[in-house]
Amino acid sequence: SQQGEEDPQALSIQEGENATMNCSYKTSINNLQWYRQNSGRGLVHLILIRSNEREKHSGRLRVTLDTSKKSSSLLITASRAADTASYFCVYQGAQKLVFGQGTRLTINP
Amino acid sequence: GAGVSQSPSNKVTEKGKDVELRCDPISGHTALYWYRQSLGQGLEFLIYFQGNSAPDKSGLPSDRFSAERTGGSVSTLTIQRTQQEDSAVYLCASRPDSTGLAAFFGQGTRLTVV
């Protein structure tokens, strides 16, 4: 299966702490994206990192990509209750987008 | 519209009936994807359309599932003779014709087969 793997499957932290999620994939990629999903419905695009980039920032988000290890990480700094959601890494091999199983993040007040 | 629109939002159907799910992609987006997500699970790829190319149907779970995209825009996913295991959220996404850009998702159709 081409499916990516995410680690951890679930993460529970206190508000204000940083949250780190990791993703591994199995094929060569053009880019890797991270999405957030609230309440099991639509996915919201967070950030895209291209295969020739190693790190990217967007607000409180920091994404790294290590193509030699076929892995990526998403760091959310200074977490808030509203960050509670499932986070998916998504990579594009040939054409279709391949999803990991996701990390369920819970921010406790 | 500004985003990807899916209809209906929710659909309850009896086992054995056929259902049609609709997706209106973002105007100008040539790539369109259908995914399925069962409760608490990740997203399962179903089918991918890119412009006028033949669609990638490799994810369709059985011949009861089919999809078409008319005029390079609206797409319809059809499930014939629905089964209880078809119950899931069906998500549609569209993307500009470029490998380097993000995909945008609709809110999904929650299908319940009773």
mmCIF file of all heavy atoms in Angstrom, chain A residues 6 8 12-13 15 18 25-26 28 33 42 46 58 66 69 72 75 77 80 93 96 102-104 106 109:
data_model
loop_
_atom_site.group_PDB
_atom_site.id
_atom_site.type_symbol
_atom_site.label_atom_id
_atom_site.label_comp_id
_atom_site.label_asym_id
_atom_site.label_seq_id
_atom_site.Cartn_x
_atom_site.Cartn_y
_atom_site.Cartn_z
ATOM 1 N N GLU A 6 1.209 7.930 10.145
ATOM 2 C CA GLU A 6 1.371 9.081 11.013
ATOM 3 C C GLU A 6 1.581 8.624 12.435
ATOM 4 O O GLU A 6 1.050 7.613 12.880
ATOM 5 C CB GLU A 6 0.153 10.001 10.893
ATOM 6 C CG GLU A 6 0.046 10.573 9.499
ATOM 7 C CD GLU A 6 -0.963 11.667 9.366
ATOM 8 O OE1 GLU A 6 -0.894 12.630 10.142
ATOM 9 O OE2 GLU A 6 -1.832 11.547 8.498
ATOM 10 N N PRO A 8 2.086 10.466 16.490
ATOM 11 C CA PRO A 8 1.283 9.374 17.057
ATOM 12 C C PRO A 8 -0.108 9.325 16.436
ATOM 13 O O PRO A 8 -0.501 10.232 15.714
ATOM 14 C CB PRO A 8 1.201 9.765 18.533
ATOM 15 C CG PRO A 8 1.198 11.269 18.492
ATOM 16 C CD PRO A 8 2.136 11.640 17.368
ATOM 17 N N SER A 12 -2.595 14.141 23.237
ATOM 18 C CA SER A 12 -3.358 15.000 24.133
ATOM 19 C C SER A 12 -2.387 15.859 24.925
ATOM 20 O O SER A 12 -1.500 15.332 25.604
ATOM 21 C CB SER A 12 -4.210 14.153 25.080
ATOM 22 O OG SER A 12 -4.977 14.980 25.938
ATOM 23 N N ILE A 13 -2.520 17.190 24.816
ATOM 24 C CA ILE A 13 -1.600 18.103 25.498
ATOM 25 C C ILE A 13 -2.381 19.227 26.145
ATOM 26 O O ILE A 13 -3.571 19.424 25.872
ATOM 27 C CB ILE A 13 -0.556 18.687 24.527
ATOM 28 C CG1 ILE A 13 -1.246 19.500 23.422
ATOM 29 C CG2 ILE A 13 0.319 17.589 23.943
ATOM 30 C CD1 ILE A 13 -0.275 20.232 22.514
ATOM 31 N N GLU A 15 -3.220 23.192 26.846
ATOM 32 C CA GLU A 15 -3.234 24.437 26.072
ATOM 33 C C GLU A 15 -1.963 25.225 26.349
ATOM 34 O O GLU A 15 -1.506 25.328 27.492
ATOM 35 C CB GLU A 15 -4.469 25.274 26.461
ATOM 36 C CG GLU A 15 -4.763 26.415 25.519
ATOM 37 C CD GLU A 15 -6.143 27.006 25.772
ATOM 38 O OE1 GLU A 15 -6.729 26.732 26.834
ATOM 39 O OE2 GLU A 15 -6.642 27.732 24.895
ATOM 40 N N ASN A 18 3.400 22.874 22.918
ATOM 41 C CA ASN A 18 3.610 22.608 21.496
ATOM 42 C C ASN A 18 3.219 21.176 21.162
ATOM 43 O O ASN A 18 3.379 20.272 21.985
ATOM 44 C CB ASN A 18 5.071 22.822 21.122
ATOM 45 C CG ASN A 18 5.526 24.251 21.308
ATOM 46 O OD1 ASN A 18 4.703 25.178 21.366
ATOM 47 N ND2 ASN A 18 6.829 24.447 21.415
ATOM 48 N N TYR A 25 6.241 8.375 4.518
ATOM 49 C CA TYR A 25 5.630 7.981 3.256
ATOM 50 C C TYR A 25 6.550 7.018 2.528
ATOM 51 O O TYR A 25 7.678 6.781 2.956
ATOM 52 C CB TYR A 25 5.305 9.217 2.414
ATOM 53 C CG TYR A 25 6.486 10.113 2.126
ATOM 54 C CD1 TYR A 25 7.256 9.955 0.990
ATOM 55 C CD2 TYR A 25 6.831 11.134 3.010
ATOM 56 C CE1 TYR A 25 8.331 10.775 0.730
ATOM 57 C CE2 TYR A 25 7.909 11.958 2.756
ATOM 58 C CZ TYR A 25 8.651 11.779 1.619
ATOM 59 O OH TYR A 25 9.731 12.597 1.370
ATOM 60 N N LYS A 26 6.051 6.490 1.418
ATOM 61 C CA LYS A 26 6.762 5.352 0.830
ATOM 62 C C LYS A 26 7.262 5.569 -0.595
ATOM 63 O O LYS A 26 8.010 4.746 -1.101
ATOM 64 C CB LYS A 26 5.852 4.114 0.858
ATOM 65 C CG LYS A 26 5.429 3.715 2.259
ATOM 66 C CD LYS A 26 4.528 2.489 2.254
ATOM 67 C CE LYS A 26 4.119 2.129 3.671
ATOM 68 N NZ LYS A 26 3.235 0.939 3.706
ATOM 69 N N SER A 28 8.437 8.404 -4.001
ATOM 70 C CA SER A 28 8.946 9.730 -4.325
ATOM 71 C C SER A 28 7.766 10.689 -4.417
ATOM 72 O O SER A 28 6.686 10.303 -4.848
ATOM 73 C CB SER A 28 9.680 9.698 -5.664
ATOM 74 O OG SER A 28 10.794 8.850 -5.578
ATOM 75 N N GLN A 33 1.528 17.797 1.825
ATOM 76 C CA GLN A 33 0.612 18.777 2.383
ATOM 77 C C GLN A 33 0.093 18.285 3.730
ATOM 78 O O GLN A 33 0.016 17.082 3.970
ATOM 79 C CB GLN A 33 -0.567 18.980 1.426
ATOM 80 C CG GLN A 33 -0.141 19.349 0.008
ATOM 81 C CD GLN A 33 -1.303 19.367 -0.948
ATOM 82 O OE1 GLN A 33 -2.379 19.832 -0.623
ATOM 83 N NE2 GLN A 33 -1.081 18.849 -2.158
ATOM 84 N N GLY A 42 -15.336 18.229 6.346
ATOM 85 C CA GLY A 42 -14.408 18.772 5.360
ATOM 86 C C GLY A 42 -13.003 18.982 5.885
ATOM 87 O O GLY A 42 -12.802 19.209 7.066
ATOM 88 N N LEU A 46 -3.697 23.274 5.338
ATOM 89 C CA LEU A 46 -2.880 24.070 6.251
ATOM 90 C C LEU A 46 -1.624 24.591 5.581
ATOM 91 O O LEU A 46 -1.330 25.790 5.623
ATOM 92 C CB LEU A 46 -2.493 23.232 7.478
ATOM 93 C CG LEU A 46 -3.630 22.767 8.379
ATOM 94 C CD1 LEU A 46 -3.085 21.888 9.493
ATOM 95 C CD2 LEU A 46 -4.394 23.946 8.953
ATOM 96 N N SER A 58 4.135 28.804 8.696
ATOM 97 C CA SER A 58 2.912 29.546 8.447
ATOM 98 C C SER A 58 2.276 29.822 9.795
ATOM 99 O O SER A 58 1.692 28.931 10.409
ATOM 100 C CB SER A 58 1.963 28.745 7.558
ATOM 101 O OG SER A 58 0.741 29.440 7.384
ATOM 102 N N ASP A 66 12.043 15.709 5.170
ATOM 103 C CA ASP A 66 13.319 15.028 4.957
ATOM 104 C C ASP A 66 13.085 13.960 3.904
ATOM 105 O O ASP A 66 12.592 12.868 4.212
ATOM 106 C CB ASP A 66 13.812 14.409 6.271
ATOM 107 C CG ASP A 66 15.215 13.832 6.158
ATOM 108 O OD1 ASP A 66 15.628 13.463 5.032
ATOM 109 O OD2 ASP A 66 15.894 13.719 7.174
ATOM 110 N N LYS A 69 14.764 10.490 4.321
ATOM 111 C CA LYS A 69 14.102 9.587 5.265
ATOM 112 C C LYS A 69 12.637 9.385 4.934
ATOM 113 O O LYS A 69 11.938 8.637 5.629
ATOM 114 C CB LYS A 69 14.226 10.133 6.695
ATOM 115 C CG LYS A 69 15.646 10.219 7.209
ATOM 116 C CD LYS A 69 15.675 10.755 8.636
ATOM 117 C CE LYS A 69 17.110 10.829 9.149
ATOM 118 N NZ LYS A 69 17.174 11.375 10.533
ATOM 119 N N SER A 72 8.072 13.661 7.312
ATOM 120 C CA SER A 72 7.731 15.055 7.519
ATOM 121 C C SER A 72 7.196 15.215 8.930
ATOM 122 O O SER A 72 6.696 14.256 9.529
ATOM 123 C CB SER A 72 6.663 15.493 6.515
ATOM 124 O OG SER A 72 6.229 16.811 6.758
ATOM 125 N N LEU A 75 4.692 20.889 13.399
ATOM 126 C CA LEU A 75 4.768 21.443 14.748
ATOM 127 C C LEU A 75 3.761 22.568 14.878
ATOM 128 O O LEU A 75 3.746 23.483 14.061
ATOM 129 C CB LEU A 75 6.178 21.965 15.034
ATOM 130 C CG LEU A 75 6.360 22.816 16.302
ATOM 131 C CD1 LEU A 75 6.136 21.972 17.545
ATOM 132 C CD2 LEU A 75 7.722 23.473 16.318
ATOM 133 N N THR A 77 2.826 25.409 17.503
ATOM 134 C CA THR A 77 3.329 26.052 18.723
ATOM 135 C C THR A 77 2.199 26.762 19.463
ATOM 136 O O THR A 77 1.186 27.142 18.868
ATOM 137 C CB THR A 77 4.429 27.069 18.389
ATOM 138 O OG1 THR A 77 3.870 28.085 17.538
ATOM 139 C CG2 THR A 77 5.591 26.402 17.674
ATOM 140 N N ARG A 80 -3.859 25.942 21.076
ATOM 141 C CA ARG A 80 -5.118 26.514 21.571
ATOM 142 C C ARG A 80 -6.202 25.448 21.507
ATOM 143 O O ARG A 80 -6.083 24.488 20.750
ATOM 144 C CB ARG A 80 -5.527 27.704 20.696
ATOM 145 C CG ARG A 80 -4.463 28.770 20.565
ATOM 146 C CD ARG A 80 -4.831 29.749 19.472
ATOM 147 N NE ARG A 80 -3.808 30.785 19.299
ATOM 148 C CZ ARG A 80 -3.791 31.644 18.281
ATOM 149 N NH1 ARG A 80 -4.748 31.610 17.372
ATOM 150 N NH2 ARG A 80 -2.839 32.551 18.201
ATOM 151 N N GLY A 93 2.169 11.385 -5.202
ATOM 152 C CA GLY A 93 3.168 10.639 -5.936
ATOM 153 C C GLY A 93 3.027 10.960 -7.400
ATOM 154 O O GLY A 93 3.453 11.982 -7.882
ATOM 155 N N LYS A 96 -2.569 10.916 -7.845
ATOM 156 C CA LYS A 96 -3.552 10.987 -6.772
ATOM 157 C C LYS A 96 -2.888 11.393 -5.463
ATOM 158 O O LYS A 96 -1.683 11.229 -5.271
ATOM 159 C CB LYS A 96 -4.264 9.655 -6.609
ATOM 160 C CG LYS A 96 -3.392 8.516 -6.119
ATOM 161 C CD LYS A 96 -4.170 7.213 -6.125
ATOM 162 C CE LYS A 96 -3.329 6.054 -5.642
ATOM 163 N NZ LYS A 96 -4.026 4.760 -5.806
ATOM 164 N N GLY A 102 -3.837 9.780 9.937
ATOM 165 C CA GLY A 102 -4.146 10.954 10.728
ATOM 166 C C GLY A 102 -3.724 10.850 12.175
ATOM 167 O O GLY A 102 -3.566 9.761 12.727
ATOM 168 N N THR A 103 -3.541 12.005 12.783
ATOM 169 C CA THR A 103 -3.271 12.123 14.212
ATOM 170 C C THR A 103 -4.415 12.894 14.832
ATOM 171 O O THR A 103 -4.747 13.995 14.389
ATOM 172 C CB THR A 103 -1.953 12.877 14.471
ATOM 173 O OG1 THR A 103 -0.857 12.100 14.005
ATOM 174 C CG2 THR A 103 -1.777 13.159 15.966
ATOM 175 N N ARG A 104 -5.007 12.306 15.858
ATOM 176 C CA ARG A 104 -6.086 12.985 16.572
ATOM 177 C C ARG A 104 -5.466 13.811 17.697
ATOM 178 O O ARG A 104 -4.918 13.250 18.643
ATOM 179 C CB ARG A 104 -7.061 11.958 17.143
ATOM 180 C CG ARG A 104 -8.177 12.579 17.983
ATOM 181 C CD ARG A 104 -9.094 13.439 17.155
ATOM 182 N NE ARG A 104 -9.999 14.241 17.968
ATOM 183 C CZ ARG A 104 -10.797 15.176 17.485
ATOM 184 N NH1 ARG A 104 -10.798 15.443 16.184
ATOM 185 N NH2 ARG A 104 -11.582 15.846 18.284
ATOM 186 N N THR A 106 -5.845 16.501 20.740
ATOM 187 C CA THR A 106 -6.762 17.089 21.717
ATOM 188 C C THR A 106 -5.997 18.078 22.575
ATOM 189 O O THR A 106 -4.961 17.727 23.157
ATOM 190 C CB THR A 106 -7.387 16.008 22.619
ATOM 191 O OG1 THR A 106 -8.067 15.052 21.797
ATOM 192 C CG2 THR A 106 -8.371 16.628 23.604
ATOM 193 N N PRO A 109 -7.883 22.371 28.151
ATOM 194 C CA PRO A 109 -7.810 23.730 28.725
ATOM 195 C C PRO A 109 -7.115 23.745 30.075
ATOM 196 O O PRO A 109 -6.980 22.708 30.724
ATOM 197 C CB PRO A 109 -9.290 24.133 28.846
ATOM 198 C CG PRO A 109 -10.021 22.841 28.899
ATOM 199 C CD PRO A 109 -9.242 21.852 28.093
#
